[in-house]
Amino acid sequence: MNTFGRNLIFWVAIGLLLMFLFNIFQGAQQGITGAEGEVAYSDFMADAQAGRVSNLTIKGDKVSGNFASSGEEFSTMVPPNENIVDRLQGTGVQISVKEPDGGGVTIIDVLFNFLPIILLIGFWFLMFRQMGGKGGGGAMGFGKSKAKLLTEQQGRVTFDDVAGIEEAKQELEEIVEFLKDPGKFQRLGGKIPRGALLIGSPGTGKTLIARAVAGEAQVPFFTISGSDFVEMFVGVGASRVRDMFEQGKKNAPCIIFIDEIDAVGRHRGAGYGGGNDEREQTLNQLLVEMDGFEDNEGVIILAATNRPDVLDPALLRPGRFDRQIAVPLPDVNGREKILKVHMKKVPLANNVDPSVIARGTPGFSGAELANLVNEAALMAARFNKRVVSMADLEEAKDKVMMGAERRSMAMNDEEKKLTAYHEAGHAIVALNEPQSDPIHKATIVPRAQALGMVMRLPEGDRYTTPLAKLKANLSVAMGGRVAEEIIFGEDMVTTGASGDIKQATSMATKMVTEWGMSDEVGMVDYGEAQPGYQPKRISTTTSNSIEKEVRKLIDEGYKKAKQILTDQNKDLHKLAKALLEYESLSGDDIKDLLAGKKLARDIEDETAGSDAPRSSIPVSAKPPKAAAAAKTAKPKAKAKPKAKAKSDKNETPKD
C-alpha cells in the first residue's frame, strides 16, 4: 500500500474515534442530567412524612425513589450526620439500602480527563513521522539516510540502452568490470576508483548511464539526491551522510549514486552562515567519509552534476573523485544511435531514415531526441496511423525546434507572396554559394515568431568554421532582404529581415572581435567580458575600427547576395511560385524544380488520381519497384482514408 493510502486510513480512523468519543460523552452527560429529577432535601422530607413517597433507595449520601401518586422518580442528597431511617419510621415508606459505587470514577471519566494529553501525544507522533520521511525511521529518525536500494526487476536499464556517449560508457564499464572481477586489475597493483563524477549539460544522460551501471553491476546500488541531505534541523545532513556510508559498508562492495551533488557540494567560503553553516557541515562529513582516516574499501561513489564550476575543490581531488567523466552533447553519429534506441519502442514506416533526423538536430541532447520521437508517435496517433512515418518525424522536429504550425494565422495574399520571395531569396543564394550547407527544407508555413524558414543541414558536425563559410553564411542571411528589394522595390521592404540582420551582425562582430578575421583590427580579443570579470576597455579609435569592419563584412555579404539574385532572377521567380503553391519544399524538390523536372509529389498525385489531396510535406521519390507495387495496390490504399488525414492538414491555403 502506498503512502497516500496509509495516511488516508490513518486520518479516517482518527475521525471515527473522535466521533465515537463525542457520542459517548454526550450520552453520559444526558444520562447524568436527565435520568432523575433533583429535589430539595426539605421538600423530600415533607413529602415523605406526608405519605407522598412510596419507596426509597439509599446509596451513601444519595437518596432516590418514586412518588406514590405519579410514580415519578426523584433524587436528593442527605446532609452529613442525618439519620433519615429513624425519622421516616412509621410513615409507611418502603426503604432499601445499597452499597455506594466504588470511588465514583468510570472509564468515561478517565478518557474525558486524559483525552487532551492523548491527542497531543498523537499530534507530535504524526509530526515526527512526517518529518522523518520514508527513509528517516519514523519519529526519531532524522539522522537516518534516505538512500534507496535500487532493485529494478522490470524496466531494468543496461548499457545497451545507452547510446551516443561511448567514452563515458567505456569509463563506467571498466568500474563495473572491476566489481565483477577485481583480480584482473589487482594483479598489476591497480585499485578500484573511489568515485566517479559525471559532468554534462542537462539531458545528456547522466542519470540514465548511472541506472545502466545499476543494471549491469550486479551489486547493491544506493541512490540519493543531493537535496535529501538538507533538512530544517542542524546536523541532520552530516548524520545522514554517516548513516549512508554505514549502509554502504554493510553491503560492500556497492555503489552509491548522488544525483545533483551541487546541492550539497558547493564551494565553501565566508558566507553568512560561516563555519557552522548546515550545508558546510554536511560537505565536511562527506569529504571525511570519502577519504578520511577510515578506509571505505568496496564503496564506490557515483555523482552527477551539470554545474561543476560551483563544486568545492576538495571534493574534486583524486582520492575522492578519481575520475571526472564528461557526458557531452552527442555528435551526429551519437544522435543517430540515440534515435535508433528510442525508435525501437515505436512502429516505424519503411521510409524512416534516422541519419537525416540526426543531421537536422545539431545540439540536441538525448532527452530532446527522446522527446522528438515521442512527439512524432503522438502526432501519428492523432491521425490514426499505424506506423510513424518520416513526415511525422520531420514535423515533430520542426515543432520541437521552432514551435507548432500557426495555420490559423491570417495572412493576406500580398504577405504570403512577400514571404515566399523572401525565403526563395535565401534558398537561391544558398544554392549558388559553394561553401554553404545543402538545403534540407524551405517553407512559408508560420511557426512561432517566424513567417517562414529555409533549413540547411551540414553533412556532419563541425567544430571549426573557415572564413569562406562564414562569408557564405552572411550572404545567405542577406538573401531575403535583397529579394524583397529586387521584386518589390526599396520602398516596399519590410521588417521581416530583422532576425536575419541580427544574426548577420552577431556573426560579423564575432569575426572581428573574437576570431581575428579582420586585417585592420588584428588578432586581438575584444569580445564581451564574462560575468564576474571587469569589462574590457576599448579605445574610441579601436571601437570605430571594429564598427567599420563589421559594416564592411555585412556589406560584402549584401553585394554578393544581390549579384547572385540578379543573375538567377528566373530561378527566384520559379521557386517563389512553387512555395506559394506547395508551401513546403524539400532540398531535392528545389533541385528538381530548378532543373525543370517534375516533383516527386506530382508524380504520386498523377499515379494516385487527380482527386488526391496535395501534401505540403516533402515526400522522397520511390524506387521503380516500390512505385509499381504502389500502383498495383491502388484499390487497397483507397480503403484506408484515415491514413490521408495528415495530407488534408497540409493543403495549400485557399485564396
Side-chain angles (χ1 to χ4, degrees):
M1 186 180 294
N2 56 14
T3 307
F4 176 76
R6 289 197 298 268
N7 291 335
L8 181 63
I9 293 174
F10 177 76
W11 285 109
V12 169
I14 288 181
L16 293 175
L17 179 62
L18 291 175
M19 292 175 61
F20 176 72
L21 292 176
F22 177 77
N23 291 331
I24 290 178
F25 295 150
Q26 190 174 21
Q29 290 180 354
Q30 289 177 355
I32 293 171
T33 58
E36 298 176 341
E38 293 283 345
V39 298
Y41 177 74
S42 59
D43 296 337
F44 157 69
M45 290 301 298
D47 291 335
Q49 291 174 354
R52 291 191 291 271
V53 177
S54 62
N55 57 75
L56 287 177
T57 302
I58 301 174
K59 289 184 179 181
D61 295 336
K62 186 177 181 181
V63 178
S64 61
N66 300 88
F67 291 108
S69 59
S70 61
E72 184 181 353
E73 295 180 355
F74 69 90
S75 64
T76 187
M77 297 298 294
V78 179
N81 302 323
E82 181 75 17
N83 191 354
I84 64 172
V85 177
D86 294 340
R87 293 184 62 181
L88 296 180
Q89 290 291 337
T91 58
V93 180
Q94 183 180 354
I95 300 174
S96 59
V97 181
K98 294 183 179 180
E99 290 288 337
D101 297 334
V105 181
T106 62
I107 298 177
I108 295 176
D109 296 332
V110 173
L111 289 176
F112 185 80
N113 292 328
F114 286 94
L115 182 63
I117 300 174
I118 295 173
L119 292 178
L120 185 62
I121 294 174
F123 171 75
W124 279 106
F125 175 78
L126 179 64
M127 189 184 72
F128 280 124
R129 182 174 177 269
Q130 293 295 329
M131 295 175 72
K134 293 182 179 179
M140 306 305 292
F142 295 108
K144 298 294 183 181
S145 172
K146 292 187 176 182
K148 295 177 290 186
L149 181 61
L150 193 63
T151 55
E152 292 184 341
Q153 300 298 330
Q154 295 182 352
R156 189 167 66 99
V157 179
T158 62
F159 284 132
D160 296 334
D161 301 318
V162 181
I165 45 176
E166 302 303 324
E167 292 82 4
K169 188 164 69 172
Q170 185 178 354
E171 294 273 354
L172 293 174
E173 282 178 345
E174 186 176 315
I175 295 177
V176 173
E177 190 177 354
F178 194 106
L179 290 170
K180 291 181 178 179
D181 186 16
K184 176 181 177 181
F185 300 88
Q186 291 174 347
R187 283 194 293 267
L188 298 177
K191 294 182 179 179
I192 189 170
R194 295 283 185 93
L197 181 64
L198 303 174
I199 301 171
S201 303
T204 50
K206 300 184 295 295
T207 306
L208 178 65
I209 198 171
R211 290 182 61 190
V213 172
E216 295 279 357
Q218 302 297 322
V219 297
F221 189 95
F222 295 92
T223 176
I224 191 172
S225 173
S227 60
D228 288 336
F229 294 108
V230 183
E231 194 63 76
M232 64 181 290
F233 299 102
V234 177
V236 171
S239 176
R240 287 177 176 173
V241 171
R242 288 191 294 270
D243 187 73
M244 180 182 69
F245 276 88
E246 287 177 5
Q247 291 184 36
K249 292 175 186 177
K250 293 177 183 177
N251 296 275
C254 72
I255 298 174
I256 298 176
F257 175 62
I258 306 175
D259 201 6
E260 305 295 343
I261 196 175
D262 53 275
V264 70
R266 285 178 175 268
H267 197 293
R268 292 170 293 180
Y272 292 106
N276 294 321
D277 183 54
E278 166 67 10
R279 181 181 53 79
E280 290 196 4
Q281 290 187 26
T282 307
L283 176 58
N284 291 336
Q285 187 64 43
L286 182 62
L287 295 176
V288 172
E289 292 289 345
M290 289 186 69
D291 188 20
F293 281 101
E294 295 185 6
D295 193 16
N296 291 320
E297 192 67 32
V299 180
I300 301 176
I301 304 296
L302 288 183
T305 181
N306 51 33
R307 300 187 64 191
D309 54 309
V310 302
L311 295 180
D312 195 275
L315 192 64
L316 300 176
R317 74 162 177 83
R320 292 194 174 108
F321 284 113
D322 299 298
R323 294 184 177 181
Q324 296 186 25
I325 303 173
V327 187
L329 292 171
D331 57 7
V332 61
N333 295 324
R335 292 196 298 272
E336 184 176 352
K337 293 178 181 177
I338 294 172
L339 285 170
K340 288 180 179 178
V341 169
H342 293 295
M343 286 178 178
K344 290 179 182 177
K345 304 173 185 177
V346 297
L348 298 177
N350 295 327
N351 64 341
V352 173
D353 188 0
S355 62
V356 176
I357 304 296
R359 286 174 53 209
T361 51
F364 270 45
S365 64
E368 290 172 324
L369 293 172
N371 182 47
L372 188 151
V373 175
N374 184 60
E375 286 286 346
L378 295 177
M379 198 170 297
R382 190 182 306 159
F383 295 98
N384 298 321
K385 296 183 178 181
R386 295 188 177 183
V387 293
V388 178
S389 64
M390 191 68 180
D392 297 322
L393 289 167
E394 287 282 353
E395 185 73 14
K397 181 191 68 176
D398 295 344
K399 182 180 179 180
V400 171
M401 294 179 67
M402 297 169 291
E405 291 185 359
R406 298 166 63 189
R407 289 276 177 182
S408 60
M409 186 176 180
M411 291 178 62
N412 55 37
D413 294 341
E414 193 64 29
E415 288 176 331
K416 289 180 182 176
K417 184 178 179 182
L418 192 143
T419 303
Y421 275 99
H422 183 102
E423 302 303 332
H426 287 305
I428 296 297
V429 175
L431 288 172
N432 289 272
E433 276 283 4
Q435 293 295 327
S436 176
D437 292 324
I439 296 177
H440 175 66
K441 182 181 180 181
T443 179
I444 60 172
V445 177
R447 290 181 182 273
Q449 301 300 319
L451 298 180
M453 172 198 64
V454 173
M455 182 183 293
R456 295 176 296 158
L457 296 186
E459 297 293 339
D461 286 349
R462 291 183 177 270
Y463 303 100
T464 58
T465 308
L467 177 60
K469 186 172 180 61
L470 291 172
K471 289 184 176 181
N473 291 338
L474 288 175
S475 301
V476 174
M478 292 291 106
R481 176 63 174 265
V482 172
E484 292 182 15
E485 292 181 2
I486 293 176
I487 302 302
F488 302 98
E490 294 184 358
D491 295 336
M492 296 300 294
V493 294
T494 65
T495 59
S498 61
D500 302 328
I501 295 173
K502 188 180 295 183
Q503 180 185 1
T505 304
S506 176
M507 190 187 307
T509 303
K510 289 181 179 179
M511 291 170 65
V512 176
T513 60
E514 298 181 25
W515 301 333
M517 295 181 176
S518 170
D519 295 334
E520 184 173 344
V521 176
M523 291 177 285
V524 181
D525 182 17
Y526 294 108
E528 296 181 358
Q530 297 180 1
Y533 295 88
Q534 289 186 347
K536 298 179 180 181
R537 297 181 180 179
I538 303 175
S539 65
T540 305
T541 306
T542 305
S543 179
N544 292 333
S545 300
I546 291 173
E547 293 176 358
K548 288 180 181 178
E549 288 297 296
V550 171
R551 175 70 182 272
K552 179 182 175 182
L553 288 172
I554 294 177
D555 288 344
E556 287 178 359
Y558 174 85
K559 292 177 181 178
K560 186 66 178 294
K562 194 168 187 177
Q563 179 188 348
I564 292 174
L565 292 178
T566 303
D567 297 339
Q568 307 293 333
N569 191 267
K570 292 183 179 179
D571 291 345
L572 178 63
H573 286 285
K574 188 182 294 184
L575 181 56
K577 291 178 181 178
L579 285 173
L580 286 172
E581 181 180 359
Y582 297 103
E583 290 190 345
S584 296
L585 294 172
S586 68
D588 294 335
D589 287 339
I590 295 174
K591 291 179 181 179
D592 293 342
L593 179 73
L594 299 181
K597 300 178 181 178
K598 271 192 176 183
L599 302 185
R601 66 185 68 187
D602 291 336
I603 297 173
E604 289 185 356
D605 288 346
E606 292 175 1
T607 306
S610 58
D611 57 341
R614 180 172 290 168
S615 172
S616 65
I617 302 295
V619 181
S620 57
K622 294 183 180 178
K625 292 183 179 179
K631 189 173 182 179
T632 307
K634 179 181 173 183
K636 189 177 180 180
K638 287 185 176 180
K640 298 182 179 179
K642 291 184 179 180
K644 292 287 186 179
K646 184 71 177 177
S647 301
D648 297 339
K649 177 175 177 284
N650 296 315
E651 287 182 355
T652 306
K654 297 179 181 178
D655 297 336

